[in-house]
Amino acid sequence: MLHDRVLVSQDGELGERKSGGGIVIPATASVGKRLVWAQVVALGAHVRQVRLGDRVLFDPEDRAEVELQSKDYVLLRERDLHAVAAQPTENGQTGLYL
């Protein structure tokens, strides 16, 4: 990986999903702009805010797909990431609140 590039794996996030009430939403359903979570699998030398194994949030329209050893990955710049998921604390909470 070069410069500020981040390679992520989506883990099947693009398929159908369930709403909070249990309704199944098919992958073909038309929804507004939706960000996607993925796990970081490789980093460039100049990436500063993300570590291997972090879950990151990004816009699936701003991506470049690549296939390595028969598995699909997404290649992003660090500046294209919107958020990094917080690690759980020792009591199981993320430390985030509204």
Side-chain angles (χ1 to χ4, degrees), residues 7-96:
L7 189 68
V8 298
S9 174
Q10 286 187 283
D11 302 337
E13 297 260 345
L14 294 177
E16 64 183 31
R17 57 189 188 278
K18 281 190 177 182
S19 70
I23 298 171
V24 176
I25 303 169
T28 58
S30 176
V31 294
K33 190 170 186 175
R34 184 177 181 90
L35 300 177
V36 176
W37 287 100
Q39 184 170 8
V40 176
V41 295
L43 299 169
H46 298 290
V47 174
R48 297 180 292 185
Q49 303 294 321
V50 182
R51 301 287 175 247
L52 288 176
D54 283 350
R55 284 186 49 86
V56 294
L57 188 66
F58 70 96
D59 184 354
E61 294 177 6
D62 297 336
R63 67 181 182 183
E65 294 182 10
V66 63
E67 183 179 337
L68 298 171
Q69 298 177 351
S70 300
K71 185 161 187 212
D72 292 328
Y73 295 95
V74 178
L75 184 62
L76 304 163
R77 288 182 180 266
E78 184 179 22
R79 68 178 181 219
D80 293 334
L81 300 177
H82 293 276
V84 178
Q87 297 295 324
T89 60
E90 49 190 60
N91 64 359
Q93 302 295 319
T94 61
L96 302 175

